[in-house]
Amino acid sequence: AQLYWVNGVSGASFVQADLPAERRGLLGTASVLSLYAHADVSSPTLRGKFIRNILMCQSIPPPPPDVDTTLPDESKFKTARERLTVHSTNPTCAGCHQLMDPMGLSLENFDAMGQFRTQDNGVTIDASGELDGVKFTTEAGLADALAQSQRVPDCLSRLVFRSAWGRLETAADEGFITDMTAG
């Protein structure tokens, strides 16, 4: 209850409780948010990559082996948004980061553990983002953009197919997947 900022819950027994509005769906769960973060800091890049890879079935290549993936020092750039903006000025990094970071930055109100916060190093968090041309200002906006995306239902159908059949789909399976997505 403390992690999710749910009031009025005490004791060791499970009770039904309403979650705060920012805890929408899968992306509002501490398990997903903490899995796609570092041990001590959030990671808009890892969270954005999760969305592209797992929810949208899009591949993001790994960074080239000779690229420095270290973000600028927090003493100069307080927020993750500031550090990633500087980091993505490297043309080698910019192409992939523009696919991941705008979505992941909308989840910055959640720390590495998935607990809601409003500040990063004493600076108010800007949780605005963008998904394939759709702009939003909060994590709820990201959830809405994903709900409207044509890629998400197709991707989730493919994941269900792969799990159920224990294999990757072939060209012969495309009709079935299309029907499953539409159904």
Side-chain angles (χ1 to χ4, degrees):
Q2 287 177 332
L3 176 67
Y4 285 95
W5 288 14
V6 175
N7 295 321
V9 177
S10 61
S13 300
F14 286 105
V15 296
Q16 185 172 344
D18 293 326
L19 293 175
E22 66 270 1
R23 295 290 181 172
R24 257 180 102 176
L26 183 67
L27 295 177
T29 63
S31 58
V32 168
L33 292 162
S34 62
L35 184 61
Y36 296 100
H38 299 290
D40 57 345
V41 295
S42 65
S43 176
T45 303
L46 289 177
R47 290 172 177 175
K49 185 175 180 183
F50 161 75
I51 293 167
R52 288 281 181 197
N53 286 164
I54 305 301
L55 300 182
M56 301 179 79
C57 293
Q58 294 177 315
S59 296
I60 303 288
D66 59 340
V67 169
D68 180 10
T69 59
T70 307
L71 293 179
D73 188 356
E74 287 183 10
S75 65
K76 290 184 181 180
F77 305 98
K78 296 287 185 194
T79 67
R81 182 177 296 276
E82 291 170 348
R83 291 186 298 279
L84 285 169
T85 298
V86 170
H87 178 71
S88 65
T89 59
N90 179 339
T92 307
C93 304
C96 292
H97 277 274
Q98 72 184 3
L99 294 172
M100 300 177 290
D101 296 347
M103 292 178 295
L105 285 165
S106 70
L107 298 171
E108 266 302 280
N109 280 122
F110 299 101
D111 68 10
M113 200 169 79
Q115 187 164 29
F116 190 80
R117 63 186 179 161
T118 58
Q119 295 194 338
D120 183 9
N121 289 319
V123 178
T124 300
I125 292 171
D126 172 4
S128 63
E130 181 264 332
L131 170 65
D132 298 341
V134 177
K135 295 181 187 285
F136 40 85
T137 57
T138 64
E139 57 279 345
L142 171 61
D144 291 340
L146 286 166
Q148 299 304 313
S149 170
Q150 295 298 326
R151 293 180 186 268
V152 174
D154 178 69
C155 180
L156 295 179
S157 294
R158 288 179 188 284
L159 293 174
V160 168
F161 176 89
R162 291 170 186 171
S163 179
W165 290 92
R167 63 177 174 83
L168 294 176
E169 64 276 12
T170 65
D173 300 318
E174 289 302 319
F176 178 73
I177 292 171
T178 300
D179 290 346
M180 195 166 71
T181 302

